[in-house]
Amino acid sequence: SAAADDCIECAAGRYAVASGSVSADACIGCAAGRYVAELGSDEASDCIACVAGKYVDVAGSSAASDCIDCVAGKYNEVEGSDEASDCIDCVVGKYIDVSGSSEASDCIECAAGKYADVAGSSLESSCIECAAGRYVESTGSGAAADCIGCAAGTYVESTGSDSASDCIDCAAGRYVEVGGSSLASQCIQCAAGKYSTTIGSDSSTDCIDCEAG
């Protein structure tokens, strides 16, 4: 060639480290996980790592927009990721409803009264309400077993309870001896000839004989 101006720059997404190259084939694609937008790159370090929360799984990427967001429910804390499997599921008890998350702390804990027993949850609705008769006061619960049964003598009919105080005492004259009751009708009436003035009774022994006459 008669002039330096005749030399053709490597395309975006590629670089050449050797001088005197005679073919575009000498231009090397940036590795997966990286890109370069400029023409004429002359070293591998010109290739820029995709930011955390993203990846690109092919070589030769030429723009930041080629980096793909981790899907909702996942995150990635590492720059330069080169495959979708680098994106990590939010743990049970948490979810994330946006893509491109870059930290484990982006995963949001299920609210009190709810749990999520599947990793990688991508919606707040993935958090399941504790069943009637049960509650959980902490956030981020990861199993139905984290929901605590109302104490004997009490019940709760609604789902998603987030406090022991949501459990309602059985009325006077009634009792329930087991925990986790979900209906007022599970409170058992004192037997004929007996009464109780105590609310929240948890034993038939709380029922007292009526006085003769």
Side-chain angles (χ1 to χ4, degrees):
S1 178
D5 288 347
D6 295 331
C7 295
I8 301 168
E9 292 179 316
C10 287
R14 309 184 76 81
Y15 65 94
V17 294
S19 60
S21 299
V22 296
S23 167
D25 292 340
C27 298
I28 303 163
C30 288
R34 295 176 174 271
Y35 68 93
V36 65
E38 289 78 17
L39 304 174
S41 296
D42 60 4
E43 53 187 50
S45 61
D46 291 334
C47 299
I48 301 165
C50 290
V51 297
K54 297 176 180 278
Y55 69 94
V56 64
D57 53 7
V58 295
S61 296
S62 59
S65 59
D66 292 335
C67 299
I68 302 164
D69 282 346
C70 289
V71 297
K74 296 175 180 279
Y75 67 93
N76 177 12
E77 297 180 330
V78 180
E79 295 183 347
S81 294
D82 59 4
E83 53 188 353
S85 61
D86 291 332
C87 300
I88 302 165
D89 286 338
C90 289
V91 298
V92 295
K94 299 187 177 190
Y95 70 94
I96 183 68
D97 54 7
V98 296
S99 60
S101 296
S102 60
E103 297 182 5
S105 60
D106 292 334
C107 299
I108 303 163
E109 292 186 335
C110 289
K114 300 183 178 187
Y115 66 93
D117 55 6
V118 177
S121 295
S122 60
L123 295 169
E124 193 278 335
S125 60
S126 302
C127 300
I128 302 163
E129 291 185 338
C130 289
R134 309 186 76 82
Y135 66 93
V136 65
E137 295 183 335
S138 58
T139 59
S141 295
D146 293 334
C147 299
I148 302 163
C150 287
T154 68
Y155 68 93
V156 65
E157 296 185 337
S158 57
T159 60
S161 294
D162 60 7
S163 174
S165 64
D166 293 333
C167 299
I168 301 164
D169 288 330
C170 288
R174 294 179 175 272
Y175 66 94
V176 64
E177 295 182 330
V178 296
S181 296
S182 58
L183 295 168
S185 59
Q186 290 175 300
C187 299
I188 302 164
Q189 191 165 9
C190 289
K194 293 178 178 285
Y195 73 98
S196 172
T197 59
T198 304
I199 62 171
S201 293
D202 60 6
S203 174
S204 61
T205 59
D206 291 332
C207 298
I208 304 164
D209 288 332
C210 294
E211 292 181 6

